[in-house]
Amino acid sequence: MIVTDLLSDDDDELRVTDVNLSETAESGTLLFFRLVSYDGFNMTSGVSFPFPADEEDRLLREYEYRTDHVDSQPESVQRFVAFFDLYRDYGVHIQYL
């Protein structure tokens, strides 16, 4: 997959290896996942939270609010908790096999 990090100031595209996700996700779907980088390739940690493309503005707004209300450190934990919560409210619910 080729993805862009919407939470970064950087507009660079990243190539991400996830065979099952790349075969099932629709183009334009917003995804939250933890990126695992190795020499020469990137992959997801295995858990992804998909969202409809038309929810981008709402997700970015609410993400800022929700991370401010997560009582945890480091920032990566705050981010995961916020998006898990957003997924329950706005996500495209999927079933892992």
Side-chain angles (χ1 to χ4, degrees):
M1 297 182 304
I2 298 175
V3 299
T4 304
D5 184 351
L6 297 177
L7 300 178
S8 169
D9 294 333
D10 174 345
D11 287 338
D12 291 345
E13 293 179 336
L14 294 169
R15 290 189 178 278
V16 177
T17 301
D18 187 314
V19 175
N20 288 331
L21 187 57
S22 68
E23 290 178 355
T24 57
E26 294 179 17
S27 181
T29 299
L30 300 173
L31 297 168
F32 172 83
F33 56 84
R34 289 183 168 178
L35 184 69
V36 179
S37 295
Y38 293 101
D39 289 338
F41 72 99
N42 301 303
M43 58 186 271
T44 68
S45 64
V47 174
S48 301
F49 302 141
F51 299 92
D54 62 350
E55 293 288 353
E56 180 178 339
D57 291 336
R58 179 198 314 232
L59 290 171
L60 293 175
R61 243 187 351 263
E62 288 201 30
Y63 162 74
E64 294 293 330
Y65 173 80
R66 293 184 191 209
T67 54
D68 288 343
H69 292 88
V70 174
D71 188 28
S72 182
Q73 291 294 330
E75 182 182 350
S76 62
V77 173
Q78 291 174 322
R79 185 175 289 175
F80 186 88
V81 170
F83 274 99
F84 177 75
D85 197 34
L86 286 165
Y87 174 72
R88 290 190 304 186
D89 291 342
Y90 306 110
V92 176
H93 293 280
I94 57 175
Q95 181 174 350
Y96 292 97
L97 300 176

